[in-house]
């Protein structure tokens, strides 16, 4: 695995565009990049051929959780097949592994102890030791992977937070010692809850280790939007510039912009999955630097970034999800058809929605990269946030408590 920073917005630190070479592909993954979440190797509603047709600029980066493979084929069987790439016949994909997965493998900090991390899985609560974790990693053979981490919510005691940092650093040493490749593809996990001091301490300790990159965990577990920039900056300022940084738990567009502004390169989240499962489609424009960001025609229908296709207003709507969208769904089907599929509980609705939502969110990341390349990322962020605020002043939708658009994005 190789990584190079090709352009920084505003000099050292902050938003940056990079190239990540992984696997056997001569074409890099351009960063900042979205890692599509999967369920045992593939996105929930996309088959292998549909993944291959998504608009990736290079190899397809997919996020997997080794914990998902505790139930199913044994590590020895997966290893005999040749790892996850061979088992799924996805040679043109880059598999990125980290334990946390908000679909099936939820970290359970209360049940974790000095021996290992605890996870809630469909098969019940599981305590995973570094040796268990490394056995699965060795069989899956991901292109790179994060060490086992003790991720805790933001609101835990100072003693518990300190213990999580100590355990995570110790487990990193265990993972490196147990890795047959000597840590050549390992991302060191960084935790610390909502404490700037513990975040900085963990990042400083992990940066001393023989790792190829960094996995920043523990976000999206209760910290406020206002305190997140200082936590991100505390971590990133303690890390070397030349190594890639992955984060989990930042899902919404505004949260992604916060992460990019801090210098994060890879984002794994289950945002697309949860949108699709809820019958929601992303609709915000992607040419944010060129015109009005949000259309006024959406102001009466709730959240301006997405629409609810279950709503009766779309029953006779013969327009595509998004005009001029090049995805298969928008080129071939209408809002009315997807509304019908949702109401009769046909899984084709989720398939078509996940195609579009994946296509659209990947386009959002492409727009972010282009804005950084021309040194207009700060303008990009400002126009996006102002568009959300303008929408709120002209309508009064009911927002989920986790989706407040009043976010503070720090840019350079």
């Amino acid at each position: 695995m190789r990584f190079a920073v090709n352009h920084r917005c505003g000099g050292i630190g902050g938003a940056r565009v990079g190239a990540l070479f992984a696997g056997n592909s001569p074409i890099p993954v351009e960063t900042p990049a979205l890692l599509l979440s999967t369920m045992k190797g593939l996105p929930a509603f996309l088959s292998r051929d549909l993944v291959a047709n998504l608009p990736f600029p290079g190899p397809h980066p997919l996020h997997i959780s080794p914990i998902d493979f505790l139930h199913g084929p044994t590590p020895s069987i997966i290893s005999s097949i040749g790892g996850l790439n061979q088992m799924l016949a996805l040679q043109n994909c880059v598999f990125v592994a980290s334990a946390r997965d908000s679909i099936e493998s939820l970290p359970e900090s209360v049940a974790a102890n000095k021996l290992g991390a605890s996870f809630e899985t469909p098969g019940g609560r599981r305590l995973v030791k570094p040796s268990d974790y490394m056995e699965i990693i060795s069989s899956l053979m991901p292109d790179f992977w994060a060490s086992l981490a003790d991720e805790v919510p933001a609101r835990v005691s100072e003693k518990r937070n300190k213990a999580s940092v100590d355990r995570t650093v110790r487990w990193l040493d265990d993972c490196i010692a147990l890795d047959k490749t000597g840590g050549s593809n390992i991302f060191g996990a960084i935790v610390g809850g909502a404490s700037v001091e513990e975040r900085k301490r963990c990042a400083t300790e992990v940066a001393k280790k023989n790792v190829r990159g960094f996995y920043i965990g523990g976000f999206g577990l209760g910290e406020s939007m206002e305190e997140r920039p200082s936590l991100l900056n505390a971590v990133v300022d303690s890390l070397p510039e030349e190594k890639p940084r992955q984060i989990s738990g930042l899902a919404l567009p505004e949260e992604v912009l916060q992460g990019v502004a801090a210098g994060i390169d890879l984002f794994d989240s289950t945002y697309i999955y949860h949108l699709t499962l809820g019958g929601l489609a992303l609709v915000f424009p992607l040419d944010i630097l060129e015109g009005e960001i949000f259309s006024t025609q959406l102001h009466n229908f709730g959240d301006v970034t997405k629409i609810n296709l279950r709503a009766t207003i779309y029953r006779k709507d013969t327009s595509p999800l998004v005009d001029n969208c090049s995805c298969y769904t928008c080129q071939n089907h209408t809002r009315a058809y997807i509304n019908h599929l949702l109401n009769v509980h046909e899984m084709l609705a989720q398939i078509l929605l996940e195609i579009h939502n994946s296509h659209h969110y990947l386009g959002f990341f492409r727009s972010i990269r282009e804005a950084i390349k021309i040194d207009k990322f700060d303008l990009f962020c400002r126009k996006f946030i102002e568009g959300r605020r303008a929408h709120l002043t002209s309508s009064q939708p009911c927002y989920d408590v986790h989706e407040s658009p009043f976010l503070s994005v720090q840019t350079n």
Side-chain angles (χ1 to χ4, degrees):
M1 190 202 78
R2 293 184 294 112
F3 177 73
V5 177
N6 295 329
H7 187 83
R8 295 181 177 88
C9 201
I12 299 297
R16 60 190 196 169
V17 169
L20 179 66
F21 294 86
N24 298 320
S25 175
I27 304 174
V29 174
E30 291 188 54
T31 64
L34 172 67
L35 308 176
L36 292 181
S37 62
T38 69
M39 300 178 73
K40 294 184 173 66
L42 277 172
F45 302 105
L46 298 184
S47 61
R48 174 183 175 276
D49 57 322
L50 293 176
V51 171
N53 288 323
L54 289 174
F56 290 99
H60 309 150
L62 303 177
H63 173 255
I64 62 170
S65 171
I67 312 303
D68 293 343
F69 293 86
L70 289 172
H71 311 284
T74 63
S76 60
I77 291 176
I78 298 175
S79 182
S80 66
I81 294 172
L84 205 55
N85 272 355
Q86 293 298 322
M87 188 169 74
L88 299 175
L90 285 171
Q91 285 74 26
N92 194 39
C93 288
V94 172
F95 285 102
V96 183
S98 60
R100 176 178 170 180
D101 169 13
S102 298
I103 299 177
E104 290 195 335
S105 304
L106 299 168
E108 179 52 67
S109 63
V110 175
N113 58 43
K114 63 181 181 181
L115 298 177
S118 181
F119 298 89
E120 292 288 351
T121 75
R125 183 177 292 176
R126 295 290 299 266
L127 182 70
V128 180
K129 302 175 184 178
S131 57
D132 304 325
Y133 185 70
M134 289 307 303
E135 183 181 17
I136 308 173
I137 288 290
S138 298
S139 68
L140 296 175
M141 304 178 194
D143 294 286
F144 53 93
W145 49 276
S147 59
L148 190 63
D150 184 14
E151 298 189 47
V152 299
R155 306 300 170 227
V156 294
S157 67
E158 183 179 344
K159 180 180 179 181
R160 178 66 181 91
N161 196 20
K162 183 178 183 300
S164 75
V165 171
D166 294 337
R167 289 173 185 172
T168 299
V169 174
R170 185 171 66 253
W171 293 344
L172 171 58
D173 290 332
D174 293 340
C175 288
I176 293 175
L178 293 166
D179 182 22
K180 296 176 181 178
T181 66
S184 60
N185 295 312
I186 188 171
F187 275 36
I190 297 170
V191 295
S195 168
V196 171
E197 292 74 20
E198 289 301 315
R199 285 278 177 185
K200 187 177 297 185
R201 180 171 76 90
C202 190
T204 302
E205 288 300 314
V206 172
K208 298 175 184 177
K209 309 293 183 179
N210 179 30
V211 297
R212 300 304 294 272
F214 305 97
Y215 167 81
I216 304 171
F219 280 95
L221 297 178
E223 78 280 359
S224 69
M225 297 302 301
E226 291 73 20
E227 63 187 337
R228 185 176 292 150
S230 62
L231 295 172
L232 287 170
N233 291 334
V235 172
V236 172
D237 290 347
S238 303
L239 302 178
E241 284 278 322
E242 69 277 6
K243 293 183 179 180
R245 306 146 183 171
Q246 176 191 347
I247 197 166
S248 181
L250 302 189
L252 301 174
E254 298 90 345
E255 294 176 324
V256 168
L257 293 177
Q258 276 193 325
V260 172
I264 305 300
D265 305 299
L266 300 167
F267 295 79
D268 70 77
S269 77
T270 55
Y271 183 51
I272 292 174
Y273 170 78
H274 290 298
L275 283 174
T276 300
L277 206 62
L280 304 168
L282 292 171
V283 295
F284 62 88
L286 299 177
D287 53 345
I288 296 171
L289 291 176
E290 298 176 3
E292 297 204 6
I293 170 65
F294 298 124
S295 171
T296 56
Q297 67 179 340
L298 300 174
H299 282 181
N300 295 325
F301 307 140
D303 188 346
V304 73
T305 61
K306 57 184 181 283
I307 57 175
N308 183 358
L309 270 299
R310 298 182 191 275
T312 56
I313 56 173
Y314 300 113
R315 187 171 295 171
K316 298 180 180 180
D317 191 339
T318 57
S319 61
L321 297 178
V322 174
D323 292 331
N324 302 319
C325 178
S326 61
C327 80
Y328 173 86
T329 302
C330 291
Q331 290 294 309
N332 293 278
H333 299 291
T334 65
R335 296 179 177 185
Y337 180 56
I338 298 176
N339 172 271
H340 160 70
L341 292 174
L342 287 167
N343 288 330
V344 297
H345 307 290
E346 284 285 349
M347 194 176 75
L348 180 58
Q350 278 77 37
I351 294 173
L352 294 176
L353 280 173
E354 185 150 11
I355 290 172
H356 169 75
N357 287 333
S358 300
H359 191 283
H360 199 86
Y361 217 38
L362 290 168
F364 177 62
F365 275 81
R366 183 174 60 250
S367 297
I368 290 174
R369 292 192 296 270
E370 293 303 316
I372 296 173
K373 289 176 184 177
I374 59 175
D375 294 318
K376 291 187 177 180
F377 177 69
D378 55 345
L379 176 62
F380 184 96
C381 292
R382 189 162 61 250
K383 292 194 72 171
F384 189 93
I385 300 301
E386 288 174 355
R388 291 290 296 254
R389 287 172 175 162
H391 161 67
L392 286 184
T393 58
S394 59
S395 63
Q396 295 182 352
C398 181
Y399 282 92
D400 181 87
V401 293
H402 298 297
E403 295 197 21
S404 170
F406 296 103
L407 309 181
S408 59
V409 179
Q410 292 189 355
T411 59
N412 291 324

